[in-house]
Amino acid sequence: MAHDRHPQAVRLGTGVTVSYVAQGDGSGVPVVLLHAWGESLGCFDRLLPLLPATIHVVAMDQRGHGQADKPTDGYTLVDLADDVAAFMDAVGLASAVLVGSSSGGYVAQQVAIGSPKRVSGLVLVESPRSLRGRPAFADDVDRLTDPIDRAWVKASLEWFPRFHDIPDWYVEDRVDDGVRMPANVWRKVLTGLCTAVPPTETGTITAPTLIIWGARDELLLRDDQERLAAAIPGSRLIVYHDTGHLVLWEQPERMAGDLTDFVQGLSA
């Protein structure tokens, strides 16, 4: 572990207790960070130190992940989005820029559709336009049993090729994230994501939006990202070359710069 963060806990109006960390000037622009399926707020440990104190950043564990409650049910995309709005209520944020990594960006899109006044901006990092269907690795997930095998989690991270050096401690922390999730949560979150109606098919996102995509991503292809950008009026797509699906893991410095520029541009 290369950090000493001590998350706080808050009980949401949806009945779930989640953990979170916050930093920066409380009067600054609020930014809420949403991690991917199978991860935790710890995935932002390399990004957070790179953000200026003028931004009020809050990273939360989503239900079933990290140190959050792990109920038996409540893992639809709408459930996860409702938790984000309830979390903002609990920590006193009327609106915020939502930054979602991978499936966290799918959740962010749903919040922007369901609670548009709560979202002052969106940064979608390797976020899908649609997750409909059954991914190739779903069979592996269906076979999971408790306790989760650490070797399986480590192997599952190889689904996504890496093109930059990533510290060993960071990868090990992500393995810890996966081991901490019960098998039924692994399955139910994936099912909830893959059976949801894509948010951009149910309404129009009106929040200013930045889309970040790695050109060597084998999971989300450029056509997917261009369709996502086309579905969000006025959005901007930035391509990170020599980067795969794990943009947050591989390019925290560049992502911090682009996020900071985007947030500062909203108040300019």
Side-chain angles (χ1 to χ4, degrees), residues 201-244:
E201 294 182 15
T202 67
T204 300
I205 292 174
T206 56
T209 301
L210 176 66
I211 299 169
I212 298 174
W213 174 71
R216 300 184 73 173
D217 188 354
E218 299 174 358
L219 180 67
L220 302 179
L221 303 182
R222 184 174 189 122
D223 182 58
D224 175 272
Q225 296 295 280
E226 289 179 345
R227 287 202 302 269
L228 176 62
I232 303 176
S235 62
R236 179 180 171 219
L237 171 62
I238 296 179
V239 177
Y240 285 18
H241 297 286
D242 296 320
T243 306

XYZ file of all heavy atoms in Angstrom, residues 201-244:
339
model
N -29.743 6.031 -24.871
C -30.918 5.613 -25.646
C -32.216 5.964 -24.930
O -33.302 5.795 -25.492
C -30.856 4.116 -25.942
C -29.717 3.720 -26.870
C -29.687 2.247 -27.189
O -30.694 1.548 -26.945
O -28.642 1.774 -27.701
N -32.117 6.433 -23.690
C -33.321 6.760 -22.922
C -33.516 8.263 -22.767
O -34.560 8.696 -22.285
C -33.266 6.125 -21.521
O -32.210 6.731 -20.758
C -33.011 4.634 -21.607
N -32.541 9.044 -23.161
C -32.643 10.491 -23.029
C -31.391 11.139 -23.589
O -30.478 10.452 -24.066
N -31.352 12.457 -23.514
C -30.204 13.205 -24.030
C -29.416 13.811 -22.880
O -29.987 14.512 -22.037
C -30.663 14.331 -24.975
O -31.378 13.744 -26.072
C -29.462 15.101 -25.533
N -28.127 13.510 -22.823
C -27.248 14.095 -21.809
C -26.945 15.538 -22.201
O -26.478 15.800 -23.319
C -25.957 13.273 -21.676
C -26.274 11.894 -21.072
C -24.921 14.015 -20.814
C -25.097 10.941 -21.037
N -27.233 16.456 -21.309
C -27.041 17.877 -21.603
C -25.815 18.467 -20.916
O -25.437 19.605 -21.204
C -28.285 18.679 -21.172
O -28.543 18.438 -19.782
C -29.506 18.251 -21.978
N -25.200 17.718 -20.011
C -24.030 18.234 -19.291
C -22.831 18.325 -20.226
O -22.650 17.478 -21.114
C -23.696 17.324 -18.106
N -21.981 19.349 -20.050
C -20.714 19.384 -20.799
C -19.949 18.083 -20.558
O -19.845 17.627 -19.411
C -19.981 20.586 -20.200
C -21.050 21.430 -19.589
C -22.108 20.481 -19.119
N -19.426 17.486 -21.623
C -18.851 16.143 -21.508
C -17.512 16.030 -22.223
O -17.378 16.435 -23.377
C -19.821 15.092 -22.080
O -21.068 15.154 -21.376
C -19.250 13.688 -21.958
N -16.546 15.447 -21.510
C -15.248 15.095 -22.074
C -15.152 13.576 -22.097
O -15.407 12.919 -21.081
C -14.123 15.676 -21.221
C -12.690 15.307 -21.635
C -12.351 15.914 -22.990
C -11.681 15.764 -20.572
N -14.788 13.011 -23.245
C -14.631 11.569 -23.404
C -13.152 11.280 -23.640
O -12.533 11.890 -24.515
C -15.478 11.052 -24.586
C -16.967 11.340 -24.343
C -15.250 9.563 -24.810
C -17.841 11.104 -25.573
N -12.591 10.372 -22.846
C -11.173 9.997 -22.968
C -11.101 8.521 -23.331
O -11.719 7.673 -22.659
C -10.414 10.272 -21.659
C -10.442 11.778 -21.322
C -8.979 9.773 -21.754
C -9.834 12.127 -19.971
N -10.347 8.214 -24.372
C -10.272 6.837 -24.874
C -8.840 6.495 -25.264
O -8.124 7.314 -25.843
C -11.193 6.684 -26.089
C -11.117 5.366 -26.801
C -11.574 4.158 -26.350
C -10.561 5.117 -28.091
N -11.341 3.187 -27.282
C -10.723 3.745 -28.368
C -9.951 5.941 -29.053
C -10.280 3.160 -29.546
C -9.508 5.360 -30.238
C -9.676 3.986 -30.482
N -8.412 5.267 -24.923
C -7.092 4.778 -25.309
C -7.152 4.082 -26.656
O -7.944 3.148 -26.850
N -6.308 4.502 -27.585
C -6.387 4.020 -28.974
C -6.077 2.530 -29.112
O -6.409 1.923 -30.136
C -5.432 4.824 -29.857
N -5.450 1.923 -28.090
C -5.120 0.495 -28.169
C -6.085 -0.358 -27.349
O -5.815 -1.518 -27.051
C -3.664 0.269 -27.744
C -2.686 1.025 -28.629
C -1.241 0.734 -28.297
N -0.822 -0.601 -28.738
C 0.422 -1.042 -28.692
N 1.382 -0.258 -28.244
N 0.725 -2.255 -29.098
N -7.224 0.229 -27.025
C -8.259 -0.511 -26.300
C -8.830 -1.603 -27.200
O -9.261 -1.331 -28.321
C -9.371 0.451 -25.871
C -10.401 -0.194 -24.951
O -10.328 -1.417 -24.729
O -11.276 0.528 -24.463
N -8.841 -2.838 -26.700
C -9.396 -3.960 -27.453
C -10.826 -4.279 -27.039
O -11.486 -5.124 -27.651
C -8.509 -5.198 -27.273
C -7.084 -5.002 -27.782
C -6.169 -6.178 -27.461
O -6.653 -7.137 -26.807
O -4.989 -6.145 -27.854
N -11.311 -3.604 -25.986
C -12.667 -3.843 -25.499
C -13.646 -2.848 -26.114
O -14.688 -3.233 -26.642
C -12.699 -3.728 -23.967
C -14.052 -3.951 -23.295
C -14.486 -5.407 -23.465
C -13.984 -3.594 -21.807
N -13.307 -1.562 -26.043
C -14.121 -0.513 -26.649
C -13.371 0.024 -27.864
O -12.291 0.580 -27.726
C -14.359 0.632 -25.660
C -15.043 0.289 -24.338
C -15.169 1.536 -23.472
C -16.413 -0.326 -24.584
N -13.953 -0.151 -29.027
C -13.294 0.281 -30.248
C -13.638 1.737 -30.555
O -14.563 2.311 -29.986
C -13.698 -0.629 -31.406
C -13.413 -2.121 -31.183
C -13.795 -2.924 -32.412
C -11.953 -2.364 -30.798
N -12.883 2.327 -31.452
C -13.069 3.750 -31.746
C -14.491 4.059 -32.205
O -15.060 5.094 -31.839
C -12.064 4.207 -32.807
C -12.173 5.708 -33.062
C -11.137 6.275 -33.990
N -11.225 7.735 -33.966
C -10.243 8.543 -33.637
N -9.078 8.066 -33.274
N -10.422 9.859 -33.655
N -15.076 3.147 -32.977
C -16.442 3.369 -33.469
C -17.417 3.529 -32.306
O -18.323 4.371 -32.351
C -16.855 2.198 -34.367
C -18.240 2.381 -34.940
O -18.471 3.397 -35.626
O -19.112 1.526 -34.701
N -17.222 2.737 -31.259
C -18.075 2.838 -30.070
C -17.952 4.221 -29.436
O -18.950 4.842 -29.052
C -17.678 1.756 -29.056
C -18.437 1.860 -27.741
O -17.969 2.590 -26.832
O -19.498 1.234 -27.626
N -16.727 4.701 -29.337
C -16.496 5.992 -28.696
C -17.000 7.149 -29.551
O -17.498 8.154 -29.031
C -15.017 6.160 -28.382
C -14.505 5.146 -27.378
C -15.136 5.308 -25.995
O -14.735 6.156 -25.219
N -16.145 4.500 -25.703
N -16.890 6.993 -30.865
C -17.412 8.041 -31.741
C -18.938 8.080 -31.688
O -19.540 9.158 -31.757
C -16.906 7.829 -33.167
C -15.406 8.137 -33.280
C -14.856 7.917 -34.672
O -15.542 7.251 -35.491
O -13.731 8.393 -34.951
N -19.569 6.912 -31.543
C -21.032 6.887 -31.392
C -21.451 7.491 -30.064
O -22.474 8.184 -29.978
C -21.563 5.461 -31.527
C -21.532 4.912 -32.940
C -22.513 3.761 -33.129
N -22.255 2.670 -32.201
C -21.449 1.650 -32.472
N -20.810 1.590 -33.626
N -21.270 0.694 -31.585
N -20.661 7.232 -29.014
C -20.955 7.838 -27.718
C -20.863 9.352 -27.816
O -21.743 10.085 -27.341
C -19.983 7.309 -26.661
C -20.105 7.929 -25.261
C -21.493 7.639 -24.653
C -19.004 7.389 -24.333
N -19.800 9.842 -28.455
C -19.625 11.284 -28.610
C -20.765 11.886 -29.429
O -21.279 12.971 -29.109
C -18.281 11.579 -29.271
N -21.194 11.172 -30.457
C -22.282 11.673 -31.299
C -23.602 11.726 -30.532
O -24.469 12.554 -30.830
C -22.430 10.793 -32.529
N -23.750 10.841 -29.543
C -24.995 10.786 -28.774
C -25.070 11.859 -27.694
O -26.146 12.080 -27.116
C -25.147 9.406 -28.135
N -23.951 12.519 -27.393
C -23.913 13.547 -26.344
C -23.579 14.879 -27.004
O -22.423 15.129 -27.359
C -22.883 13.199 -25.252
C -23.191 11.821 -24.647
C -22.880 14.272 -24.163
C -22.160 11.350 -23.633
N -24.580 15.744 -27.198
C -24.354 17.006 -27.917
C -23.220 17.829 -27.301
O -23.154 18.009 -26.085
C -25.697 17.730 -27.780
C -26.705 16.643 -27.571
C -25.988 15.591 -26.771
N -22.312 18.293 -28.177
C -21.238 19.166 -27.719
C -20.097 18.485 -27.012
O -19.163 19.157 -26.536
N -20.131 17.151 -26.915
C -19.059 16.448 -26.203
C -17.762 16.495 -27.013
O -17.767 16.710 -28.226
C -19.449 14.998 -25.935
O -19.662 14.305 -27.154
N -16.657 16.264 -26.313
C -15.332 16.277 -26.936
C -14.633 14.956 -26.660
O -14.602 14.482 -25.520
C -14.512 17.440 -26.368
C -13.097 17.551 -26.929
C -12.354 18.725 -26.305
N -10.945 18.716 -26.668
C -9.959 19.028 -25.830
N -10.226 19.379 -24.590
N -8.704 19.004 -26.235
N -14.081 14.346 -27.685
C -13.361 13.077 -27.562
C -11.865 13.327 -27.663
O -11.386 13.916 -28.628
C -13.809 12.111 -28.664
C -13.017 10.807 -28.823
C -13.104 9.961 -27.562
C -13.515 10.027 -30.035
N -11.117 12.881 -26.638
C -9.653 12.941 -26.646
C -9.126 11.516 -26.745
O -9.570 10.626 -26.003
C -9.102 13.592 -25.361
C -9.541 15.053 -25.247
C -7.587 13.513 -25.339
C -9.031 15.722 -23.977
N -8.181 11.293 -27.647
C -7.589 9.969 -27.839
C -6.193 9.940 -27.222
O -5.357 10.794 -27.519
C -7.520 9.613 -29.330
C -6.837 8.255 -29.525
C -8.917 9.602 -29.943
N -5.955 8.955 -26.351
C -4.624 8.725 -25.792
C -3.972 7.603 -26.604
O -4.394 6.445 -26.517
C -4.726 8.282 -24.331
C -5.072 9.339 -23.322
C -5.655 10.551 -23.694
C -4.830 9.116 -21.962
C -5.979 11.506 -22.750
C -5.146 10.070 -21.007
C -5.732 11.258 -21.401
O -6.057 12.207 -20.466
N -2.972 7.940 -27.370
C -2.297 6.926 -28.172
C -1.379 6.072 -27.288
O -0.981 6.470 -26.196
C -1.522 7.594 -29.310
C -2.424 8.324 -30.266
N -3.216 7.669 -31.183
C -2.684 9.655 -30.421
C -3.926 8.542 -31.873
N -3.616 9.759 -31.435
N -1.080 4.857 -27.765
C -0.235 3.915 -27.006
C -0.781 3.676 -25.604
O -0.023 3.531 -24.636
C 1.212 4.410 -26.940
C 1.858 4.457 -28.317
O 1.612 3.520 -29.105
O 2.571 5.424 -28.616
N -2.098 3.635 -25.483
C -2.767 3.373 -24.211
C -3.943 2.440 -24.479
O -4.622 2.583 -25.498
C -3.283 4.684 -23.586
O -2.206 5.609 -23.486
C -3.838 4.436 -22.196
N -4.156 1.480 -23.562
C -5.257 0.544 -23.720
C -6.477 0.965 -22.916
O -6.704 2.149 -22.671
